Amino acid sequence: MGLITVSKSLKWVGMVEPLKIIPKGTLIRVSLAKWWPRKNKLKDYNVPHGCYLQLSGWY
């Protein structure tokens, strides 16, 4: 069975200058942004409750 390659884009939210390409094998840290809309505001918006996945570091 071969390896499966997946390519995805994540928004960068870190403090240092972002890399154009992260080298293969680099460990990355991802985080979840705040949930939106707040549960008590769900009826005011026509969007699902959710959050964004963002890239927050690499090692």
Side-chain angles (χ1 to χ4, degrees), residues 28-57:
I28 62 170
R29 182 179 69 197
V30 294
S31 55
L32 297 174
K34 290 184 179 181
W35 286 82
W36 53 267
R38 293 183 309 225
K39 284 192 175 192
N40 62 346
K41 296 286 186 179
L42 282 176
K43 65 181 182 337
D44 298 337
Y45 298 93
N46 189 23
V47 296
H49 185 58
C51 63
Y52 288 105
L53 177 68
Q54 55 197 20
L55 175 61
S56 52

Side-chain angles (χ1 to χ4, degrees), residues 5-26:
T5 301
V6 177
S7 178
K8 296 289 180 183
S9 296
L10 297 175
K11 181 179 178 181
W12 170 244
V13 296
M15 301 296 285
V16 298
E17 190 67 28
L19 299 174
K20 191 166 193 162
I21 296 176
I22 297 174
K24 182 179 179 180
T26 301

